[in-house]
Amino acid sequence: MKKDKTDGFTLVEMLVVLVIGALALSVMASNPFGRPRPESAASLARQISVAVAALQITALSTVSSQSVVVDVAAHAVTVGQNRIELPSDVRLSVTTGAELIVEGGRGMIAFFPDGTSSGGEIILGDPSGLVSIVRVNWITGAVDLMDRAS
């Protein structure tokens, strides 16, 4: 039996499936049973790290730059089109390049079409003293999540 060249999946199709899966996981991880619950800095950092990793895949698959905007004044993180509002008791800060700090206390982390990024850190802290850091590597664009006591 002769194989047709249209059998299988393209790289773009696989990346789209991975992005959808990552977004579904972030929704499930943030609220698995649909009940409202107070969110800790650690759970919000996990949600943000999954969304940021999915955004890197989006930049690769669409061959277009994508950005994460951390608005310290508004207490929110916007990942692509997804805005994550943080509770007032969670401390928020961002470390990024000086050229990516814009007016009003907003900082950006950019992902480029080749998978690299501008790099940076999104730091969340809760009243218990736990600090969670979403770190984006500027060379590889890899997203890491670290938790530590302050």
Side-chain angles (χ1 to χ4, degrees), residues 48-60 62-69 78-80 100 108-120 122 134-144:
I48 290 168
S49 70
V50 168
V52 170
L55 191 67
Q56 181 195 24
I57 294 170
T58 301
L60 281 166
T62 62
V63 192
S64 64
S65 295
Q66 303 289 325
S67 62
V68 177
V69 178
T78 303
V79 182
L100 296 172
M108 291 177 47
I109 298 172
F111 286 101
F112 306 113
D114 63 357
T116 61
S117 78
S118 62
I122 302 168
V134 178
R135 181 173 289 152
V136 179
N137 184 294
W138 69 275
I139 295 175
T140 64
V143 180
D144 294 315

Side-chain angles (χ1 to χ4, degrees), residues 9-46:
F9 301 100
T10 66
L11 178 60
V12 172
E13 290 170 331
M14 292 301 293
L15 289 173
V16 168
V17 169
L18 286 173
V19 167
I20 292 170
L23 290 174
L25 278 174
S26 72
V27 169
M28 288 301 295
S30 66
N31 201 353
F33 301 108
R35 290 187 297 239
R37 61 181 169 86
E39 294 192 273
S40 67
S43 67
L44 287 164
R46 279 191 298 277

Side-chain angles (χ1 to χ4, degrees), residues 81-139:
Q81 302 298 319
N82 184 19
R83 184 174 170 93
I84 301 167
E85 302 280 341
L86 304 177
S88 60
D89 64 339
V90 173
R91 294 182 318 276
L92 174 65
S93 64
V94 61
T95 304
T96 189
E99 68 278 2
L100 296 172
I101 300 290
V102 292
E103 74 280 343
R106 292 189 325 228
M108 291 177 47
I109 298 172
F111 286 101
F112 306 113
D114 63 357
T116 61
S117 78
S118 62
E121 293 180 342
I122 302 168
I123 302 139
L124 292 93
D126 63 20
S128 71
L130 181 68
V131 175
S132 296
I133 303 168
V134 178
R135 181 173 289 152
V136 179
N137 184 294
W138 69 275
I139 295 175

